[in-house]
């Protein structure tokens, strides 16, 4: 149960306006962060669900369909449609599991890897610029804020390095 933020004692003295500003900044940042990939995908007749699947399959070769369902939190029917399109367009291959032939393992094809790189490159540049402008301490704090926004139950499935903010002193722009 969530505490009423207007009446709860807030140890860092966040006002309603501070919280609403954060909500708005997240909205606009997400809009701009996904804008370029959305346009690239639309040109291919694909959408944001395809991008998410491609991204996480690329980051986790041999990911199972069940694992991808858990990450994306979409219905089996929705994921089935997305995967069917990605497989038929030769972006993803499905193979049986090594011990359980019913298990479906997912991997990007060379065409899928090229698309994942294209979609991610603009996002890497955007995030890299923002990180350099903000500085290393701000990046660590930003990562901590994002981790704290994620549901507790979902944190264990994050890559181990994602749960620990970076410790580098200097940042360079990606790209």
């Amino acid at each position: 149960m969530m505490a009423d933020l207007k009446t709860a004692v807030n140890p860092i003295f966040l006002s309603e306006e501070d919280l609403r500003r954060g909500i708005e900044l997240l909205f606009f940042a997400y809009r701009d962060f996904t804008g370029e990939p959305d346009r690239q995908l639309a040109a291919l007749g694909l959408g944001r669900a395809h991008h998410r699947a491609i991204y996480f399959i690329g980051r986790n070769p041999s990911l199972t369909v069940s694992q991808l369902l858990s990450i994306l939190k979409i219905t089996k029917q929705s994921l089935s449609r997305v995967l069917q399109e990605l497989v038929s367009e030769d972006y993803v291959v499905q193979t049986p599991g090594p011990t359980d032939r019913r298990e479906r393992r997912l991997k990007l094809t060379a065409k899928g890897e090229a698309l994942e790189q294209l979609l991610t490159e603009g996002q890497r540049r955007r995030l890299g610029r923002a990180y350099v402008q903000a500085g290393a301490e701000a990046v660590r704090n930003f990562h901590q804020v994002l981790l704290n926004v994620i549901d507790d139950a979902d944190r264990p499935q994050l890559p181990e390095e994602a749960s620990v903010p970076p410790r580098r002193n200097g940042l360079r722009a990606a790209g």
Side-chain angles (χ1 to χ4, degrees), residues 23-47:
I23 290 167
E24 289 168 9
L25 289 171
L26 275 171
F27 171 79
F28 288 114
Y30 185 71
R31 179 199 65 190
D32 294 346
F33 183 74
T34 57
E36 182 181 353
D38 283 351
R39 289 185 293 278
Q40 293 166 324
L41 288 159
L44 299 170
L46 301 174

Side-chain angles (χ1 to χ4, degrees), residues 63-75:
L63 187 72
T64 66
V65 171
S66 295
Q67 290 168 324
L68 187 56
L69 275 169
S70 177
I71 290 169
L72 299 179
K73 290 191 175 184
I74 60 176
T75 65

